Amino acid sequence: MNQQQFFASCPRGLETFLADELREIGASDVAVGMGGAHFRGAFDFCYRVNLESRIASRVFWQVGAGSYRNEDDIFKVARSLPWADWFKASHRIMVETNARNCPLKSLDFVTLRIKDAICDCFRDLNGTRPDVDRRSPDIRISAFLTADAFTIYLDTSGEPLFKRGYRDARIDAPLKENLAAGILRMTGWSPTEPLLDPMCGSGTFVIEAAMMALKIAPGINRTFAFQKLSNFSEQAWKKYLNRAQSAQLAPRLLPIFGSDKYGDVLKVARTNLAKAGLADTVQLKQVDALEMSAPAPSGVLVTNPPYGVRIGEQAELAADYPRLGDVLKRQFSGWRAYLFSADTQLPKLIRLSASKRTPLFNGPLECRLYEYKIQAGSMRKPTQDAKSDLE
């Protein structure tokens, strides 16, 4: 079967984990790239990746590539592509361009030239052309430029893959679902291990963990852009869909725990769990993280603690973080704890020795995942060390 070239994007910092996941799904020639991973497979294999990948943000199908010196070189290649074989003039399109070390003055002009090439292709065939719609396009076309080469892709995902369809209710600054899934993978958590998020917010970590434990494909309840393409195979899609549905385990109470200080926030988590069909799988409890106790002798604690924006919030959190370190030390001996934070100063106030500090991005926001292996005996940094960390 004819092999196609694809690129799956993901949150920065998760590229190697995405590559591993793609290999597990069955992709061939997987190679880590910047912000994602390249892979090959039959065209309908992109259906499976969209359906099953927990870490990917989008899956792009490579339809053109070449070298360039100016915008006309890119236009000529784009103009030569059989766009009408892939979608109809009645589809609304959006073209976007990204670049690294590109010498051209205007990426907007490159985007315009690619759009013109697509429209010229349709106009020459039947006198009509697709409309441009940047808000809710049917078909997304992406171009990526380096210093002297370019690649043109069709987006097979549509809405980004972190939109699983279960999160109706939201709170401020939610953690993206695929980033949460990637972090869970980074922790080495196994569904047989207890897992706790003591500041669970809208429930993203616990919902993603429950979906993993029950082998629920993340894209099982949504649609994708590839379903609008002219080469879409309903038969192949049903094959992947039926396979994913057959692999699901029956819902049951899992050793997955979520808690939060605020009852209204827990209501959001419960709403999202219900929407995902997981209402009776995760144990939620209203409790302040500074007063929590371990629900099992060992396990994985993972959370995205709040960080302050205003000065008063910073001062309050600075007082809470040492207390959080006390709770971890006193109540969670034998656990692995992971704190995901965009604040580089507050985690130092916990005064526990982090065994790992992994850079990750939540959208454009640079963050760190801090790993603490909680053991009996002292893990405390000396007070002087804690002070010097903040100087």
Side-chain angles (χ1 to χ4, degrees):
M1 192 175 291
N2 188 24
Q3 294 279 293
Q4 301 293 320
Q5 183 72 45
F6 299 95
F7 179 77
S9 62
C10 69
R12 283 186 290 166
L14 292 178
E15 292 90 345
T16 58
F17 295 91
L18 172 62
D20 289 341
E21 182 188 57
L22 289 169
R23 294 185 187 100
E24 292 169 7
I25 292 173
S28 59
D29 299 328
V30 179
V32 173
M34 179 174 288
H38 303 270
F39 66 98
R40 294 179 65 82
F43 177 73
D44 65 26
F45 183 71
C46 80
Y47 304 174
R48 183 175 181 184
V49 178
N50 275 288
L51 176 64
E52 297 184 19
S53 175
R54 301 185 190 280
I55 301 176
S57 299
R58 293 182 184 273
V59 180
F60 297 94
W61 174 32
Q62 181 177 319
V63 296
S67 58
Y68 73 96
R69 290 174 297 176
N70 53 47
E71 294 86 353
D72 286 342
D73 294 332
I74 300 170
F75 174 87
K76 289 174 185 176
V77 171
R79 181 65 180 81
S80 70
L81 297 175
W83 299 103
D85 290 349
W86 301 325
F87 58 90
K88 299 175 182 178
S90 58
H91 283 123
R92 296 162 301 167
I93 66 170
M94 183 185 83
V95 182
E96 59 183 0
T97 304
N98 294 286
R100 185 173 71 248
N101 301 324
C102 174
L104 301 180
K105 293 182 178 180
S106 172
L107 291 184
D108 287 342
F109 186 55
V110 174
T111 300
L112 179 63
R113 293 296 281 154
I114 295 171
K115 185 269 294 180
D116 288 346
I118 296 168
C119 292
D120 287 354
C121 177
F122 278 96
R123 192 182 289 112
D124 288 352
L125 283 174
N126 52 30
T128 61
R129 45 150 286 181
D131 289 331
V132 174
D133 186 341
R134 296 193 62 82
R135 284 192 169 186
S136 55
D138 300 305
I139 305 294
R140 297 171 184 263
I141 299 99
S142 295
F144 182 73
L145 281 63
T146 60
D148 57 4
F150 68 95
T151 312
I152 300 175
Y153 299 94
L154 275 174
D155 175 8
T156 69
S157 301
E159 287 291 323
L161 296 179
F162 64 78
K163 294 188 177 182
R164 319 287 206 215
Y166 65 71
R167 190 152 67 186
D168 281 346
R170 294 172 182 266
I171 60 172
D172 291 341
L175 187 70
K176 286 184 171 60
E177 292 87 333
N178 61 334
L179 177 56
I183 288 172
L184 287 170
R185 185 162 180 135
M186 291 178 73
T187 69
W189 172 75
S190 162
T192 59
E193 284 185 288
L195 181 127
L196 167 67
D197 181 353
M199 291 172 264
C200 69
S202 60
T204 308
F205 274 129
V206 296
I207 294 172
E208 290 296 315
M211 292 178 70
M212 291 179 184
L214 297 176
K215 299 183 179 180
I216 299 172
I220 200 80
N221 292 316
R222 54 162 286 169
T223 59
F224 302 93
F226 61 71
Q227 293 171 277
K228 297 178 181 179
L229 296 176
S230 300
N231 60 349
F232 171 63
S233 168
E234 185 73 32
Q235 181 180 5
W237 170 235
K238 285 185 176 179
K239 176 188 71 175
Y240 290 120
L241 196 59
N242 291 337
R243 182 185 300 170
Q245 290 169 338
S246 298
Q248 284 186 198
L249 303 177
R252 66 183 190 276
L253 187 62
L254 299 164
I256 297 174
F257 306 86
S259 59
D260 203 279
K261 182 178 180 179
Y262 302 104
D264 56 343
V265 172
L266 280 180
K267 287 181 182 178
V268 176
R270 288 193 177 93
T271 298
N272 292 336
L273 278 162
K275 178 73 173 177
L278 299 168
D280 299 321
T281 64
V282 173
Q283 303 174 60
L284 296 180
K285 182 179 181 181
Q286 184 176 352
V287 62
D288 190 328
L290 301 179
E291 299 172 359
M292 64 180 172
S293 57
S298 64
V300 173
L301 183 152
V302 60
T303 195
N304 179 21
Y307 61 93
V309 176
R310 294 181 292 272
I311 294 175
E313 293 173 333
Q314 285 279 355
E316 182 179 350
L317 289 170
D320 284 346
Y321 268 68
R323 294 175 61 197
L324 178 59
D326 290 337
V327 171
L328 292 176
K329 180 62 184 159
R330 186 172 62 251
Q331 300 287 349
F332 287 84
S333 177
W335 282 63
R336 306 193 310 280
Y338 297 85
L339 271 60
F340 181 69
S341 180
D343 192 306
T344 59
Q345 295 302 313
L346 289 176
K348 297 175 182 178
L349 296 171
I350 290 179
R351 300 203 307 274
L352 296 177
S353 298
S355 51
K356 287 183 184 177
R357 298 174 182 84
T358 306
L360 290 171
F361 284 79
N362 189 12
L365 194 62
E366 185 173 1
C367 305
R368 293 286 187 277
L369 181 66
Y370 298 86
E371 178 189 72
Y372 305 93
K373 295 182 178 179
I374 315 298
Q375 301 170 350
S378 179
M379 284 181 59
R380 280 291 184 200
K381 287 184 178 180
T383 303
Q384 185 60 41
D385 288 352
K387 287 183 179 178
S388 64
D389 281 339
L390 295 172
E391 289 176 351

